Amino acid sequence: MQALPVTLLGIAMFALGSASPLPQQARPAGTTRTDLQRHDLAVPGREVLQARVNFAPASSFPRHTHPGEEIIYVLEGSLEYEVAGKAVALKAGDVLFVPAETVHAARNIGTDNAAELATYVLEKGKPLTTIVK
């Protein structure tokens, strides 16, 4: 078997992501997260994770925080977010920015499935989500 040339190996590693993914945490019923890409950033100790998050009708994700910023783009459906105690309703095409360590929650307020593209700029090595009681 021939070894891959260095350039092809580098491209393959970039396509797969430069950081090894953390294990998926348990999710509430009716929600799923599909990690799309994860990479180290040029800023030491920081990484980016991009994921698709799906919400079945009437499903929700409880109050939680992330060890970094979350940038949300609603792909389909209608979602309501509670961010720092304030509610905001979004539909497909809308965006939302959640600052690092800010308590927030999300729920599908429509009768159809909903989905978001979530981009997280995170501190490396920390759990993606911390549930807040």
Side-chain angles (χ1 to χ4, degrees):
M1 178 189 304
Q2 281 188 319
L4 287 174
V6 173
T7 52
L8 289 178
L9 182 59
I11 291 169
M13 288 177 65
F14 177 78
L16 293 173
S18 58
S20 60
L22 294 171
Q24 287 255 356
Q25 296 169 309
R27 298 202 59 86
T31 69
T32 60
R33 185 184 93 221
T34 304
D35 292 352
L36 303 172
Q37 59 178 333
R38 184 181 214 125
H39 301 282
D40 289 339
L41 295 175
V43 178
R46 303 296 277 187
E47 65 182 338
V48 64
L49 167 64
Q50 195 167 54
R52 179 185 174 108
V53 182
N54 295 303
F55 295 83
S59 67
S60 63
F61 198 91
R63 294 167 29 96
H64 63 283
T65 62
H66 302 292
E69 294 80 7
E70 180 179 9
I71 300 107
I72 298 163
Y73 176 76
V74 179
L75 297 167
E76 62 183 86
S78 299
L79 294 166
E80 181 180 77
Y81 298 86
E82 177 196 321
V83 181
K86 296 181 181 175
V88 59
L90 302 176
K91 63 185 180 327
D94 290 341
V95 296
L96 180 67
F97 178 82
V98 180
E101 302 298 341
T102 299
V103 176
H104 61 290
R107 69 184 180 107
N108 183 344
I109 57 173
T111 57
D112 295 323
N113 290 327
E116 69 180 28
L117 177 65
T119 303
Y120 306 94
V121 179
L122 305 165
E123 290 183 56
K124 280 188 69 141
K126 291 194 174 181
L128 173 62
T129 303
T130 300
I131 300 298
V132 175
K133 304 251 178 192

